[in-house]
């Protein structure tokens, strides 16, 4: 029986890791999994998978530095486990800060098995110099965006485009899509700082939108009860307690299928909205210094992944100074009242989503892992 060490360091990685593990077990010979992940991966792999995601999924340099000793210990544990168990392959899922260091350490330790990276880090946006390093230490890159394949293969790294797992998720719900006329969905992000920066302007925009479209209704997606509580506090400060009934907890995908128009914080939700066919406006605002530093190092023209995939602006981006209650209201009202524009945007979103594959992404990734592990090294 083949043995695979698999590691994911965040909740999203745990989901992708579990999907990949399930596909490998279903479509290929049985595999013994060991490694680090989260609850979903552990439920599939059993005691061989250590659940570390809750602590490993920290954000920001300062948070990482505070537990640097713990990360150093985990690196040592991973290397020791791989040295003792001698897996046929190592699958690294996203989480590049830790996983690329692990790959380099394995090569330095003369590990002879396959090292595979699944879910490419966004080196195309910044740190392109990492690609040469990755080509030296990895045997295979499995990416979820089509333009990444050419980027990596130019460096000599074998690369497979497996498709984006979100396409499968959207397809599984497709028969349930039912737009509710006049419903605007607010998606202010899944983190507290995003809600604090974005939601007040979204909330104020609702008053302006209602002046131009009196029959409009609103719903707000809250990732959890904590964020829902923070939204209620913002509503109370804005003297809009009646808006409390708009909040829907943990139902983002349901709202993406029901809303006629969306206002979506930059991030994963923008791609999810596109996959669910929701016409939307992208919004983004951070500390001015943070934005200035980001602009200096990021090498992409557009912020939203849909626009990056299209190579042009498909979705309107209200970023930094362009983001306000007035600008959100103007953009949303135009989409609400202009059916032709709304349908044209939905059609463009569908054409961009087609670039992400035809579905069965985890199956394709599983095939790539299996082929790499069973192939003979040159």
């Amino acid at each position: 029986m083949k043995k695979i060490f698999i590691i994911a360091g965040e909740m999203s990685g745990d989901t992708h890791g579990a999907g990949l593990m399930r596909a490998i077990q279903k479509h290929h010979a049985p595999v013994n999994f060991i490694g680090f992940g989260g609850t979903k991966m552990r439920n599939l792999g059993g005691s061989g998978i250590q659940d570390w995601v809750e602590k490993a999924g920290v954000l920001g340099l300062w948070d990482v530095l505070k537990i640097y000793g713990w990360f150093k210990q985990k690196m040592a544990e991973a290397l020791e486990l791989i040295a003792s168990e001698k897996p046929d392959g190592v699958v690294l899922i996203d989480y590049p800060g830790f996983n690329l260091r692990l790959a380099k350490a394995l090569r330095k330790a003369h590990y002879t098995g396959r090292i595979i990276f699944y879910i490419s880090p966004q080196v195309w946006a910044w740190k392109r110099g990492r690609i040469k390093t990755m080509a030296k230490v990895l045997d295979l890159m499995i990416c979820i965006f089509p333009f990444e394949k050419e980027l990596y293969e130019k460096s000599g790294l074998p690369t497979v485009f497996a498709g984006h797992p979100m396409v499968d998720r959207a397809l599984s719900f497709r028969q349930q899509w039912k737009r509710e006329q006049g419903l605007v969905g607010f998606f202010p992000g899944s983190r507290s700082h995003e809600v604090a920066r974005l939601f007040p302007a979204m909330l104020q925009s609702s008053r302006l939108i209602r002046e131009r479209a009196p029959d409009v209704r609103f719903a707000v997606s809250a990732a959890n009860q904590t964020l829902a509580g923070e939204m209620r506090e913002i509503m109370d400060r804005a003297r809009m307690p009646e808006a409390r009934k708009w909040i829907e907890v943990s139902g983002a995908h349901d709202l993406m299928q029901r809303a006629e128009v969306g206002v979506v914080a930059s991030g994963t939700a923008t791609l999810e909205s596109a996959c669910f066919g929701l016409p939307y406006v992208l919004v983004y605002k951070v500390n001015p210094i943070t934005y200035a530093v980001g602009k200096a190092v990021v090498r992409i023209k557009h912020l939203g992944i849909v626009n990056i995939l299209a190579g042009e602006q498909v979705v309107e981006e209200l970023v930094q100074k362009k983001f306000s209650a007035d600008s959100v209201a103007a953009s949303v009202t135009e989409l609400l009242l202009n059916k032709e524009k709304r349908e044209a945007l939905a059609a463009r979103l569908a054409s961009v989503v087609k670039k992400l594959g035809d579905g069965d992404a985890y199956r394709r990734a599983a095939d790539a892992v299996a082929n790499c592990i069973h192939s003979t090294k040159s």
Side-chain angles (χ1 to χ4, degrees), residues 16 92-96 100 116-126 130-131 134 138 140-149 151-152 157 159-161 163-164:
H16 292 312
L92 312 168
I93 301 176
D94 201 358
Y95 206 55
L100 290 181
I116 302 165
F117 208 106
Y118 181 43
I119 314 291
S120 161
Q122 294 182 351
V123 290
W124 37 267
W126 63 307
R130 277 183 169 180
I131 296 177
M134 295 164 79
L138 301 177
L140 178 68
M141 170 63 71
I142 305 174
C143 58
I144 60 175
F145 293 118
F147 60 83
E148 294 173 327
K149 180 176 170 63
L151 189 66
Y152 284 108
L157 175 59
T159 305
V160 170
F161 167 57
H164 202 295

Side-chain angles (χ1 to χ4, degrees), residues 16 109 177 237 249 253 271 335 373:
H16 292 312
W177 293 10
R237 289 197 295 270
V249 180
H253 289 172
L271 182 60
L335 283 172
I373 289 177

Side-chain angles (χ1 to χ4, degrees), residues 29 46 72 104 112 153 157 168 181 184 265 285 333 336 342 353 373 378:
K72 190 174 181 180
K104 286 189 281 188
T112 58
E153 287 186 335
L157 175 59
D168 292 281
Q181 186 174 356
V184 173
K285 187 176 183 180
T333 303
L336 271 177
R342 192 171 63 247
V353 170
I373 289 177
S378 56

Side-chain angles (χ1 to χ4, degrees), residues 20-81:
L20 178 63
M21 291 167 66
R22 188 179 294 110
I24 290 173
Q25 296 288 38
K26 181 178 180 180
H27 299 290
H28 297 276
V31 170
N32 179 24
F33 289 104
I34 57 173
F36 298 172
T39 303
K40 294 177 182 178
M41 289 171 60
R42 185 174 174 82
N43 286 343
L44 287 170
S47 59
I49 302 294
Q50 180 184 148
D51 190 347
W52 78 321
V53 160
E54 187 172 344
K55 191 169 183 178
V58 295
L59 290 170
L61 179 61
W62 176 242
D63 290 329
V64 172
L65 290 175
K66 284 193 293 187
I67 56 172
Y68 175 75
W70 181 80
F71 276 113
K72 190 174 181 180
Q73 176 189 335
K74 290 301 175 184
M75 179 67 72
E77 288 179 16
L79 290 169
E80 183 178 350
L81 181 61

Side-chain angles (χ1 to χ4, degrees), residues 69-356:
W70 181 80
F71 276 113
K72 190 174 181 180
Q73 176 189 335
K74 290 301 175 184
M75 179 67 72
E77 288 179 16
L79 290 169
E80 183 178 350
L81 181 61
I82 293 168
S84 62
E85 293 290 333
K86 297 180 175 57
D88 300 281
V90 170
V91 177
L92 312 168
I93 301 176
D94 201 358
Y95 206 55
F98 187 95
N99 280 340
L100 290 181
R101 286 183 175 86
L102 176 59
K104 286 189 281 188
L106 286 172
R107 291 305 186 208
K108 189 175 181 180
H110 305 294
Y111 171 68
T112 58
R114 300 292 193 171
I115 302 180
I116 302 165
F117 208 106
Y118 181 43
I119 314 291
S120 161
Q122 294 182 351
V123 290
W124 37 267
W126 63 307
K127 290 190 177 181
R128 291 200 177 198
R130 277 183 169 180
I131 296 177
K132 291 182 180 179
T133 300
M134 295 164 79
K136 292 178 181 178
V137 298
L138 301 177
D139 291 295
L140 178 68
M141 170 63 71
I142 305 174
C143 58
I144 60 175
F145 293 118
F147 60 83
E148 294 173 327
K149 180 176 170 63
E150 181 181 1
L151 189 66
Y152 284 108
E153 287 186 335
K154 282 183 178 179
S155 71
L157 175 59
T159 305
V160 170
F161 167 57
H164 202 295
M166 177 49 63
V167 173
D168 292 281
R169 199 174 307 171
L171 287 173
S172 69
F173 286 103
R174 196 171 191 92
Q175 299 305 316
Q176 302 176 34
W177 293 10
K178 189 175 181 180
R179 302 278 165 221
E180 297 180 19
Q181 186 174 356
L183 178 62
V184 173
F186 290 134
F187 301 85
S190 59
R191 299 187 177 99
S192 181
H193 68 87
E194 291 176 319
V195 171
R197 288 187 183 276
L198 300 176
F199 188 57
M202 287 184 181
L203 189 61
Q204 292 297 335
S205 77
S206 68
R207 287 171 164 163
L208 302 174
I209 295 168
R210 181 156 279 151
E211 290 176 3
R212 305 168 198 179
D215 295 329
V216 71
R217 294 176 296 112
F218 299 96
V220 184
S221 175
N224 52 52
Q225 290 292 351
T226 299
L227 290 180
E230 293 174 10
M231 291 174 185
R232 293 186 190 101
E233 291 177 4
I234 292 171
M235 291 168 173
D236 291 343
R237 289 197 295 270
R239 297 182 180 179
M240 295 179 64
E242 72 280 3
R244 284 170 165 250
K245 64 177 181 286
W246 299 350
I247 297 174
E248 300 181 4
V249 180
S250 302
H253 289 172
D254 176 66
L255 181 55
M256 287 171 184
Q257 296 169 67
R258 290 167 33 230
E260 194 167 42
V261 176
V263 182
V264 187
S266 178
T268 304
T270 61
L271 182 60
E272 292 172 334
S273 296
C275 287
F276 284 109
L278 172 65
Y280 70 93
V281 177
L282 179 152
V283 296
Y284 180 76
K285 187 176 183 180
V286 292
N287 179 285
I289 296 176
T290 301
Y291 183 73
V293 172
K295 285 284 286 184
V297 298
V298 172
R299 300 186 178 186
I300 50 177
K301 184 178 180 180
H302 302 289
L303 182 64
I305 187 61
V306 167
N307 294 337
I308 293 170
L309 284 165
E312 61 180 356
Q313 180 165 301
V314 172
V315 173
E316 185 176 8
E317 298 185 353
L318 301 178
V319 178
Q320 290 302 96
K321 292 180 180 180
K322 291 183 179 180
F323 170 67
S324 67
D326 287 333
S327 64
V328 170
S331 297
V332 168
T333 303
E334 186 175 7
L335 283 172
L336 271 177
L337 302 182
N338 189 332
K339 182 179 179 182
E340 185 176 321
K341 182 170 183 178
R342 192 171 63 247
E343 291 180 346
L345 176 53
R348 287 290 286 120
L349 290 174
S351 69
V352 173
V353 170
K354 283 183 179 179
K355 296 182 179 183
L356 297 175

